[in-house]
Amino acid sequence: MELVVAVYNISSVPKMLELAKITYGFGVRRFALIKVFGAAAQQIGDLFKLAFKMGGEVLVFNDVKDAVEVLRPDVIYALGRPDRDTKPVEKADGRVMLLVHGSDLVFSPRELPPNAVLSHAVEKDIGSAGQLAVALYKLLGG
């Protein structure tokens, strides 16, 4: 399984760096930002510095469609709050994209690519960083 973590709609620098540290800390090399704006866009150099130190890479896209076109994931898990419409994250073959909302919001249908699976890693509302950490733990076996 080849993993990429993609963060959608992020403006907070601390949140961007926290999600990147979680990603790189689990050994996932590829970290993508989709629709980055505000302070996060202005201080994206901090992310590149962190990626360099931790042996990771950073990709930046204007929209989800561009990210999917370039990265070509076989499975897209759109992580969020658990509810009746979400499914638990499970191991999958091929390229897997974990799509995380940078603002801890629920993804709207128009924000997602057609083949995305609304998902959760744990059945508690622990925020996007928590959901990402647990999902990576489950997918990578600790």
Side-chain angles (χ1 to χ4, degrees), residues 22-130:
I22 292 167
T23 300
Y24 300 139
F26 274 96
V28 176
R29 251 186 101 234
R30 191 164 284 162
F31 185 74
L33 294 175
I34 303 166
K35 196 176 165 191
V36 58
F37 63 98
Q42 292 173 350
Q43 293 185 285
I44 202 162
D46 293 344
L47 176 61
F48 282 95
K49 182 178 169 183
L50 174 69
F52 184 78
K53 284 181 177 178
M54 295 187 78
E57 62 184 44
V58 177
L59 302 162
V60 181
F61 299 98
N62 289 327
D63 59 37
V64 175
K65 180 183 166 200
D66 289 343
V68 170
E69 182 180 309
V70 170
L71 298 170
R72 298 182 331 205
D74 299 309
V75 178
I76 301 170
Y77 290 122
L79 290 174
R81 293 183 196 122
D83 69 20
R84 58 179 163 65
D85 295 330
T86 64
K87 295 180 167 91
V89 170
E90 54 188 38
K91 289 187 179 187
D93 293 327
R95 290 187 210 103
V96 176
M97 175 187 282
L98 291 176
L99 186 60
V100 179
H101 205 295
S103 302
D104 282 334
L105 299 173
V106 177
F107 285 102
S108 73
R110 67 182 184 90
E111 291 174 323
L112 295 173
N115 58 341
V117 179
L118 287 172
S119 306
H120 62 272
V122 64
E123 292 195 24
K124 304 280 184 203
D125 188 5
I126 58 173
S128 58

